[in-house]
């Protein structure tokens, strides 16, 4: 694996998930000495930061945590006359970071204003075009592949039949959120060849290119029928880009809807708004996998790092 | 020691202080490999952060520094409907952090508005109730036990008689400060069986449960008589909770009052407002122990970590 | 080397640059165990932070990164009555940090309001006067010696004649910037005995004490004639202290002026405003050394740390 920016960078998804599960029970030796990983956060992070730092240390890599937020306004425009607020061009930023870091991992959320711009992934692509170091996506404008990977590890660890029924359900939320987690969950669970159903109010359809092969069901009760896993997540509209079209509490995950499932497990990437996205009695139940998902973030990152180091012949 | 949240978690205080003094001259071998400590700062820190990081490295532990400040608004309410500003519940926050960190250390200051709420220590208790990892108090709403511990090390290193007279004096300050340092200094010095005198203007009495056994003296000159150690600290009122009742400069530490002591040492936890809390000529004198106190913070933390690791059978 | 605060702390500049070039191809063994370096940033940093962290790790030193910015307002005044915004005096701050850190490295920019105050370097001097630890300048009010050092490494690696002609050119910029980089580049290139020409609009003369031996040329085209290296940098006026006197685009580095050079290399410390300071076609050309300069920051810092550790007999 040269980079890890989306599921398209993965050769065989099944093999990668198996490798992560092996790494979890039997962590690899420290592979590297004096190798540096820049963890660049244009947006704040808890789980991604700690799981990434831990994975680096477990492999003997040295992480730098850069909370780049406001302090590093980067210009991406070709030929820009930089007489405004942007103090550094991606052409320097990318190449400079790769002088200090052997691997570069980046978190950069979408602005949710211009769909074409967000889906073009200018930050990730800008770094990839201007560095010789491998690039790892720590959640970009439209993808969160480390979350998708960790979710697949969690499903594989808990599934009770070869091809489980996996339901991705939209849920209400007071803020307009990106589609990244939903996009990656859909893409990874389809690649794992699960029976994937996506349920949401009309107008919340995700990018059809990413959900091809999934069943779309507007009635959440029908969607939940016989489900093995229910994955809840809010996202803002892809069609009416970035907008909140509904706060329909009928999509909140609750016991009533869970009663038609196959004793389903509950999943969420966290942080979660309790009693808005999901009722306490579901997330506090034995069927909740949210903490296991968080733990598997470490082994997703560790396995990605391992595969990239292997490609670097380290 | 399972947790370290207050002096009540300590078995024998004398033994613990002796152990710290031994660790200072003869640091223990690195005890641990691949163990992680989350240092979570809801309030900014210099001494606590650096001494904690250093103690971790000296023991071979890997610290994560999380400046959680504004960026991680946690909900503590049971059954809360999270449709407001709080994005994560302590139920997830605590369990998630313990996926990445084998020990969790937390700094969280009081709001100084509701005494019952502050003295109930919701942040520390919230993490303890929702994690399987040991919890270390890096200064909570009402306690600063690592400071109290470091202060005892410093007194033991400098005392000239078995049972020294130790004076805790309130001092003026332009801002309303917590009672944590004063509370812990009182509790630890009483547990060390020193002769403890506390002096402050009327209305600044600390929680009587924490100062039981100490002499309260409203006249600072009388309090200083024959003192071996004078420990200065501002705190806001406990009775008129969180309020500034006095700026009485008669409590500023100066040479005149020091003249009635037993050639006392001066102590303060730092940072200190010079010429408001204490005159330059006292803090700059040979009798000032403030830098030694700061250095002993490292060995207090190192010894706490050592004892907790021992309890974990590491 | 006891401290590294300016070129005046360096014995033989030529030897130091040679040593850095050797260290780059053949890094020294990890010299130290359990030694700590405080990297204190009163101003934000990317290159300086990452190169410093990397150099520490390459030598086996443990860095602490302190983004001190707003959160640590330090009083420097002798005898100050600290009843205002400043919460800690440099007398404690310096001594406390040296309890936790064996070396102290500091970045503190000028206020650009009072020239005498800035050129007196109160922050660096304040720490040096109040700590027993060696002090390293990570860019102070008036100097950036690690940049000057890295620039000399870069010139030595690329020069095609023994005594190259080196042009330092002022360039326009929308903000008022310090003179530090220009001051250090002038001082270091003069110490390396290059043929140094400085060009800028009238009124932008640097401190004459630092540029003694350099040729001042107000016409950039004349300055560029036969140059081997053109180093661009904006600075605000030293005479009309801190002011922007000109935005003269005639000083922007472009192909036309480059045509009269000796096929010169282009240099800049970064970050750079493209098409304001320099045209894309120059910085994107094969003659641009800006990324190599950034990389050499690591080896400048590594060599400084090595020399200071040697002085400490480590």
């Amino acid at each position: 694996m040269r980079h890890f920016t989306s599921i398209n960078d993965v050769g065989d998804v099944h093999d990668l998930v198996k490798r992560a599960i092996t790494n979890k029970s039997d962590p690899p030796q420290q592979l590297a000495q004096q190798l540096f990983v820049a963890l660049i956060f244009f947006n704040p992070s808890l789980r991604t930061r700690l799981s990434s730092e831990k994975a680096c240390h477990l492999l003997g890599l040295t992480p730098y945590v850069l909370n780049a937020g406001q302090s590093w306004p980067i210009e991406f425009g070709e030929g820009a006359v930089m007489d405004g607020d942007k103090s550094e061009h991606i052409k320097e930023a990318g190449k400079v970071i790769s002088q200090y870091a052997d691997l570069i991992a980046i978190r950069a959320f979408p602005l949710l204003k211009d769909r074409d711009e967000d889906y073009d992934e200018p930050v990730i692509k800008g770094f990839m075009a201007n560095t010789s170091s491998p690039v790892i996506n720590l959640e970009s404008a439209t993808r969160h592949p480390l979350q998708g990977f960790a979710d697949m590890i969690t499903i594989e660890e808990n599934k009770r039949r070869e091809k489980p029924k996996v339901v991705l359900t939209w849920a209400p939320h007071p803020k307009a959120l990106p589609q990244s987690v939903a996009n990656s969950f859909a893409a990874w669970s389809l690649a794992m060849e699960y029976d994937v159903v996506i349920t949401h109010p009309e107008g919340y359809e995700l990018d059809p290119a990413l959900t091809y092969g999934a069943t779309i069901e507007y009635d959440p009760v029908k969607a939940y029928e016989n489900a093995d896993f229910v994955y809840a997540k809010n996202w803002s509209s892809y069609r009416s880009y970035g907008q909140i079209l509904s706060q329909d509490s009928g999509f909140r995950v609750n016991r009533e809807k869970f009663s038609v499932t196959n004793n389903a497990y509950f999943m969420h990437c966290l942080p979660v708004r309790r009693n808005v996205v999901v009722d306490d009695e579901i997330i506090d139940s034995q069927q909740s996998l949210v903490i296991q998902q968080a733990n598997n973030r470490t082994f997703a990152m560790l396995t990605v790092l391992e595969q990239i180091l292997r490609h670097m012949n380290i």
Side-chain angles (χ1 to χ4, degrees), chain A:
Chain A
M1 199 190 298
R2 166 86 177 106
H3 298 284
F4 180 76
T5 65
S6 82
I7 197 169
N8 302 321
D9 292 320
V10 177
D12 186 308
V13 175
H14 296 84
D15 283 353
L16 194 72
V17 172
K18 274 184 206 149
R19 178 74 196 163
I21 292 172
T22 303
N23 279 337
K24 190 175 175 181
S25 59
D26 183 18
Q29 296 292 309
Q30 291 199 3
L31 296 173
Q33 288 290 330
Q34 304 286 37
L35 278 180
F36 299 89
V37 183
L39 304 173
I40 306 176
F41 294 97
F42 291 99
N43 300 90
S45 170
L46 171 69
R47 269 153 284 271
T48 298
R49 183 200 147 177
L50 291 186
S51 60
S52 297
E53 276 201 86
K54 184 170 183 175
C56 286
H57 286 296
L58 288 172
L59 289 171
L61 303 167
T62 303
Y64 309 117
V65 175
L66 282 174
N67 291 313
Q70 286 76 35
S71 66
W72 196 26
I74 297 180
E75 174 65 58
F76 289 86
E78 190 70 34
V81 177
M82 293 172 62
D83 55 2
D85 290 337
K86 307 292 178 65
S87 60
E88 181 143 35
H89 200 282
I90 184 64
K91 293 190 182 194
E92 280 71 57
K95 290 182 194 112
V96 162
I97 294 274
S98 66
Q99 302 303 303
Y100 308 130
D102 302 282
L103 294 88
I104 299 178
I106 303 159
R107 162 166 288 201
F109 290 172
L111 299 177
L112 292 179
K113 285 177 184 159
D114 180 328
R115 188 171 83 181
D116 288 345
E117 190 181 314
D118 286 346
Y119 272 72
D120 193 44
E121 294 283 7
V123 179
I124 290 276
K125 282 191 185 166
F127 274 93
M128 288 177 72
N130 288 290
T131 174
S132 55
S133 303
V135 170
I136 296 171
N137 184 341
L138 299 177
E139 187 172 349
S140 65
T142 70
R143 298 287 194 286
H144 197 349
L146 283 164
Q147 184 66 52
F149 186 5
D151 295 336
M152 297 308 110
I153 299 171
T154 311
I155 291 175
E156 288 298 299
E157 289 180 325
N158 290 281
K159 74 179 188 187
R160 291 161 304 199
R161 47 177 165 165
E162 188 52 31
K163 188 182 165 74
K165 177 173 174 183
V166 170
V167 176
L168 169 63
T169 177
W170 178 93
H173 194 284
K175 291 188 178 171
L177 299 186
Q179 292 114 31
S180 322
V181 169
N183 284 343
S184 286
F185 183 80
W188 284 75
S189 55
L190 287 163
M192 290 295 286
E193 300 169 87
Y194 302 147
D195 174 12
V196 180
V197 177
I198 307 178
T199 182
H200 50 68
E202 291 194 53
Y204 276 100
E205 293 76 11
L206 295 166
D207 180 355
L210 297 173
T211 58
Y212 180 80
T215 303
I216 311 300
E217 170 57 65
Y218 297 114
D219 179 347
V221 179
K222 282 191 190 161
Y224 278 53
E225 272 173 18
N226 210 26
D228 297 293
F229 297 87
V230 173
Y231 195 104
K233 183 73 188 83
N234 173 269
W235 60 89
S236 60
S237 176
Y238 173 79
R239 289 190 182 172
S240 305
Y241 191 67
Q243 290 185 39
I244 297 179
L245 306 178
S246 163
Q247 298 279 15
D248 184 354
S249 64
F251 281 86
R252 185 165 78 227
V253 180
N254 62 15
R255 183 189 294 271
E256 188 187 350
K257 286 196 285 295
F258 250 62
S259 67
V260 304
T261 67
N262 178 26
N263 192 24
Y265 288 106
F266 173 71
M267 299 179 75
H268 191 282
C269 60
L270 303 182
V272 66
R273 303 277 186 143
R274 282 172 168 255
N275 302 310
V276 176
V277 167
V278 55
D279 282 0
D280 281 343
E281 60 182 349
I282 296 294
I283 192 172
D284 288 333
S285 75
Q286 290 293 329
Q287 296 304 101
S288 175
L289 298 177
V290 296
I291 305 303
Q292 188 174 342
Q293 286 175 266
N295 188 35
N296 282 333
R297 291 293 306 277
T298 301
F299 302 97
M301 183 62 164
L302 184 148
T303 303
V304 164
L305 290 168
E306 179 195 48
Q307 298 302 312
I308 290 176
L309 291 173
R310 181 168 298 173
H311 187 271
M312 294 164 76
N313 291 317
I314 291 169

